[in-house]
Amino acid sequence: MDNKTKKTVYLDYAATSPMYPEAAAEMYRMLKDEYGNPSAVYDSATHAREAINEARRTIAKTLNTEMDTIFFTSGGTESDNWALIGTAEAALRAGKGNHIVTSSIEHPAVLKTCRYLEQRGFRITYLPVDKEGFIDLAQLKRAIDSETVLVSIMAANNEIGTIEPIREAAELAHQKGSLFHTDAVQAYLHIPIDVKQDGIDMLSASGHKFGGPKGTGFLYIRRNLEIDSLIHGGSQERNHRAGTENTAGITAMAKAAAIAHSRMDEDERRISSLKSYMLGKLMRLPEIPELNGISIELNGTPDVIKRLPGNLNICFRGINGESILILLDMAGIAASAGSACSSGATDPSYVLTGIGLSKKDAESSVRFTLGRDTTEEDINYTLKHVEDILKRLKK
Ligand code: PLP
């Protein structure tokens, strides 16, 4: 079969999502027609400036906040770096404490920034998680001390989809006078978030996880909170984030955010039900005589309310996950082992070993992430191929 006729099934939405055509069209329009530098004074610049402000207003609405709390960045990684380093440096200057609390299953954008801050004299507590991937709030409470300037807990995990109790974590941070940041790259526009009700001081998001372009994102910083800048230079983003604005990327991201927000509830229901269907079918594979004796388990929480709608992370015990992925790829199915952001690494996923899996079980795991264009036909096609692959690899 040549590539034109080969069926392809994309089940790696947590790695990245296809752009909404409307967002791509908006990006092209901006690049073609509204190329003025938003900082200039002439007419075309004014259009670009207004488009950015409109984008800021659109994004702000999706989080129930004011537009002046949204700062555009180059993506989730920069937003996480900015929140952590900006808070740490502001605290250092003000002679405040030097302690940060986070979880051990954060994305490397947070974990490696914490390592960097450790080298600069900060003390970091990495909270362990239970076997479903949840932090323990009592443990968090004990970890926060008089030196703690920031608690950073992800809204949902990228590998196992566990949704952390961020509202409760924010409350504990505030009770002890600390700030609260959440990496919401996987959660934003997939589950409802209200920065005011949830008590969030800073929130990171990334455009390419909800149908916007790669290399776009933002950091929400609540009103009256000042953190240090990460990128120094011109006076863009009200002197907080220098660099000529990525106008086309920003407006396209906002277009995607508006669409994703308007269909979030419907997508959540549909995707979650497709996922349950797929999980049910996967769990019954060992009933097939040729697959008898094989063990298939769900990694992370079985609680559908506390798991991202599209996330399925499955351990095919005793069978190598990479081999499954390669054979899936040959059938045109895209999935991933561990986190796509760290693929190429030979170590087993620290998230999976962090929830108690052995190295071998972690290496036998595959992440399927469903999204807005996933159909029942895609799932049935995938199930058929998983069945054939397991029969082949079991031999
Ligand atoms: N945080 C989480 C939880 C992620 O899943 C990712 C990307 O996969 C990032 C941060 C990094 O975001 P970006 O790709 O926009 O830099």
Side-chain angles (χ1 to χ4, degrees):
M1 219 188 275
D2 66 28
N3 272 341
K4 277 194 203 120
T5 50
K6 186 171 152 187
K7 181 169 171 66
T8 58
V9 173
Y10 185 72
L11 293 179
D12 205 15
Y13 276 80
T16 194
S17 62
M19 267 178 86
Y20 282 108
E22 296 90 332
E26 171 64 12
M27 193 158 187
Y28 180 61
R29 188 188 72 78
M30 286 296 290
L31 289 168
K32 189 164 64 63
D33 301 333
E34 307 290 4
Y35 51 80
N37 187 322
S39 299
V41 292
Y42 36 80
D43 203 38
S44 66
T46 310
H47 288 168
R49 197 158 53 242
E50 279 168 0
I52 289 180
N53 278 336
E54 190 51 40
R56 210 183 298 284
R57 200 170 292 119
T58 303
I59 301 258
K61 257 197 230 155
T62 63
L63 284 168
N64 185 30
T65 183
E66 308 82 18
M67 63 184 281
D68 60 2
T69 61
I70 303 297
F71 296 88
F72 295 118
T73 66
S74 64
T77 300
E78 183 189 327
S79 300
D80 285 341
N81 271 261
W82 184 10
L84 270 71
I85 297 171
T87 305
E89 289 189 340
L92 206 61
R93 261 188 314 100
K96 291 188 183 157
N98 70 343
H99 179 229
I100 292 174
V101 181
T102 190
S103 87
S104 54
I105 60 163
E106 299 290 317
H107 187 272
V110 166
L111 288 181
K112 293 219 175 139
T113 305
C114 285
R115 300 268 182 244
Y116 164 80
L117 287 170
E118 273 176 329
Q119 285 162 14
R120 314 247 347 225
F122 274 79
R123 190 164 52 88
I124 317 279
T125 300
Y126 301 91
L127 296 173
V129 292
D130 66 17
K131 65 183 195 332
E132 296 186 0
F134 296 107
I135 56 158
D136 176 352
L137 289 166
Q139 211 166 18
L140 170 61
K141 190 173 179 178
R142 283 194 302 275
I144 308 173
D145 59 33
S146 57
E147 295 289 303
T148 312
V149 289
L150 180 68
V151 172
S152 178
I153 303 291
M154 67 201 322
N157 183 267
N158 42 301
E159 293 192 39
I160 51 176
T162 304
I163 298 171
E164 298 294 344
I166 54 168
R167 190 179 291 192
E168 293 79 358
E171 208 176 309
L172 289 176
H174 294 154
Q175 277 169 14
K176 301 241 192 136
S178 160
L179 293 169
F180 182 78
H181 164 255
T182 188
D183 174 344
V185 166
Q186 292 290 336
Y188 174 63
L189 296 176
H190 297 281
I191 54 169
I193 300 178
D194 178 321
V195 286
K196 297 217 169 112
Q197 279 185 22
D198 293 339
I200 297 166
D201 296 308
M202 287 167 278
L203 173 146
S204 304
S206 169
H208 73 103
K209 306 289 186 181
F210 55 85
K214 291 165 187 60
T216 64
F218 65 87
L219 180 65
Y220 155 81
I221 308 177
R222 81 152 156 76
R223 269 195 181 158
N224 303 320
L225 172 60
E226 283 288 331
I227 63 168
D228 283 13
S229 293
L230 183 71
I231 311 276
H232 305 277
S235 58
Q236 292 88 355
E237 296 298 284
R238 302 185 307 295
N239 278 317
H240 286 84
R241 198 275 189 184
T244 301
E245 297 88 339
N246 174 7
T247 45
I250 289 169
T251 57
M253 170 171 66
K255 187 77 170 174
I259 300 170
H261 190 243
S262 71
R263 49 184 283 174
M264 183 168 66
D265 293 348
E266 192 189 322
D267 276 358
E268 199 181 336
R269 265 195 304 277
R270 196 189 66 82
I271 294 166
S272 184
S273 116
L274 262 185
K275 178 187 68 176
S276 299
Y277 168 75
M278 181 169 176
L279 177 62
K281 292 274 185 190
L282 283 171
M283 290 307 203
R284 298 191 68 170
L285 286 177
E287 292 171 14
I288 297 171
E290 292 143 281
L291 293 180
N292 209 278
I294 217 168
S295 160
I296 298 181
E297 268 162 49
L298 175 71
N299 295 323
T301 181
D303 184 341
V304 286
I305 306 288
K306 294 183 178 166
R307 185 172 188 127
L308 285 176
N311 178 290
L312 260 192
N313 195 311
I314 302 287
C315 174
F316 298 95
R317 186 161 291 147
I319 297 186
N320 183 270
E322 287 289 337
S323 308
I324 299 176
L325 280 189
I326 292 166
L327 294 172
L328 283 172
D329 182 39
M330 285 169 68
I333 301 161
S336 94
S339 160
C341 302
S342 62
S343 70
T346 46
D347 286 344
S349 148
Y350 64 87
V351 174
L352 295 180
T353 54
I355 59 168
L357 265 71
S358 66
K359 181 173 182 289
K360 214 161 171 14
D361 281 353
E363 285 168 352
S364 298
S365 296
V366 174
R367 179 186 74 177
F368 301 96
T369 44
L370 289 59
R372 64 174 201 263
D373 289 333
T374 311
T375 62
E376 192 172 329
E377 190 194 334
D378 291 339
I379 299 302
N380 286 333
Y381 179 83
T382 305
L383 286 164
K384 174 82 194 79
H385 281 281
V386 170
E387 181 183 326
D388 291 348
I389 289 167
L390 293 180
K391 283 177 185 165
R392 188 166 152 189
L393 293 176
K394 189 171 176 267
K395 278 187 191 150

